[in-house]
Amino acid sequence: MDAVETRELRYFVAVAEELHFGRAAERLGMAQPPLSRAIQRLERRLGVTLLERDRRGVLLTGAGEVLLHEARAALDATTAAVRRTRRVGGADGPGGPRDRLVLAVKAAASHELLRKLLDAYAAEPGAAEVEVLPSGTCEQGDMLRDGRADVALMHVPFNSLAGFDSEELLTEGQIAVLPAGHPLAARRSLSLAEVSAVPDLPLARWSRHGTFPPGPGPEIHDQTQLAQLIALGRTVAVFPDSARAWLWAEHAAVPLTDAPPVVTHIVWPAHSRSLALAALVRTATRL
């Protein structure tokens, strides 16, 4: 069987995600007829039907669902290879460093741990430059898979570590972050049920994999927006205890008695052979 080209996988993923040849062609910047012919050639070469087509639209077959999953992973791996190769070669920008690591972190999480890690690693002989890349709640894994990041700080139970190598760094409790003037701010502790049931203070909603969970709370896009909405008395949020480092005077932090502990891990792709990354991980485990 002939090898499948990256271009063909990109075409198929666009159609499989849009479930509409016209929208997929527009997304790819091409005409619809050559896109349809390319998918038909791919099906003939693989010897399977990937898409069921009728007047109501397009549906994925079982084989199509498998290829969609595998094609996304293959395209991410290809993109990651290019990005990491350029980063090591200093080709991301004119005059860029020869050796650089990108560290993805959840915005405002593990602040003190991150500071200690960066300081300790910078003191190591031959340390690479570390670029810190803030991310949303569940974006670190995607950043590792597609090469936007080389390493990440991730938090169980909020992040999945499946498919990565990792080392455990820190275990901590969780807090509710409330407006300082709210009656609950004077409590010594709260339960998750109490935090979730305040009618005038709905829980903030972070995007997870591009979608927001249902609920009356505001949709949060960045840390500054969240901090301001809490200070204004519009929402409440739940964070690891280390989030106290970024709180404003208008905020209050109350421990949660029944929230599961948060375990921070340093995480990297299992196939990595980067000596700079290995040195960063060794530094992290010695903190």
Side-chain angles (χ1 to χ4, degrees):
M1 183 182 69
D2 294 337
V4 175
E5 297 180 5
T6 302
R7 170 180 53 85
E8 294 175 303
L9 293 180
R10 190 172 294 111
Y11 288 176
F12 171 73
V13 168
V15 176
E17 290 180 346
E18 299 291 343
L19 292 179
H20 190 281
F21 276 90
R23 289 195 299 269
E26 183 177 354
R27 167 174 155 182
L28 293 164
M30 63 187 298
Q32 182 174 334
L35 175 60
S36 298
R37 290 194 294 270
I39 298 300
Q40 290 167 358
R41 285 195 299 269
L42 179 61
E43 289 179 314
R44 286 197 300 271
R45 190 165 341 130
L46 294 177
V48 297
T49 300
L50 299 171
L51 302 165
E52 295 288 355
R53 309 158 178 84
D54 59 29
R55 279 181 286 185
R56 291 176 297 177
V58 178
L59 292 174
L60 280 172
T61 65
E65 290 178 355
V66 170
L67 183 59
L68 176 58
H69 174 77
E70 298 292 342
R72 283 170 171 161
L75 291 173
D76 279 347
T78 300
T79 302
V82 171
R83 284 173 169 160
R84 292 193 175 111
T85 300
R86 286 177 170 168
R87 206 146 50 227
V88 170
D92 276 351
R98 294 293 300 176
D99 206 356
R100 181 162 62 94
L101 293 172
V102 176
L103 170 61
V105 298
K106 179 182 173 182
S110 304
H111 177 80
E112 185 64 18
L113 174 65
L114 177 60
R115 184 189 63 77
K116 290 179 179 178
L117 172 58
L118 295 176
D119 288 347
Y121 180 65
E124 294 287 329
E129 178 182 340
V130 179
E131 176 186 342
V132 177
L133 185 61
S135 68
T137 303
C138 294
E139 292 180 344
Q140 299 100 311
D142 291 340
M143 290 176 169
L144 290 178
R145 277 184 282 270
D146 68 15
R148 282 176 290 167
D150 302 298
V151 60
L153 294 183
M154 295 169 65
H155 311 278
V156 176
F158 305 114
N159 300 120
S160 170
L161 307 184
F164 301 118
D165 284 344
S166 66
E167 289 283 352
E168 183 178 320
L169 301 181
L170 174 70
T171 299
E172 58 187 321
Q174 296 195 64
I175 56 173
V177 181
L178 310 109
H182 194 276
L184 289 181
R187 294 275 298 274
R188 295 179 63 87
S189 64
L190 292 166
S191 68
L192 283 170
E194 288 174 313
V195 171
S196 303
V198 185
D200 62 332
L201 210 60
L203 275 166
R205 293 182 294 140
W206 285 96
S207 172
R208 290 177 179 247
H209 305 295
T211 60
F212 289 91
E219 295 181 354
I220 302 302
H221 299 277
D222 58 58
Q223 194 66 34
T224 301
Q225 175 201 17
L226 175 62
Q228 186 170 31
L229 289 175
I230 294 174
L232 291 172
R234 302 300 178 90
T235 190
V236 60
V238 173
F239 276 100
D241 189 74
S242 56
R244 294 175 186 270
W246 61 263
L247 297 189
W248 299 359
E250 295 90 345
H251 298 155
V254 181
L256 293 169
T257 57
D258 58 348
V262 176
V263 183
T264 300
H265 296 250
I266 187 166
V267 185
W268 64 96
H271 61 269
S272 176
R273 297 295 181 268
S274 167
L275 295 179
L277 173 57
L280 179 66
V281 172
R282 285 196 300 271
T283 301
T285 57
R286 290 197 298 261
L287 294 177

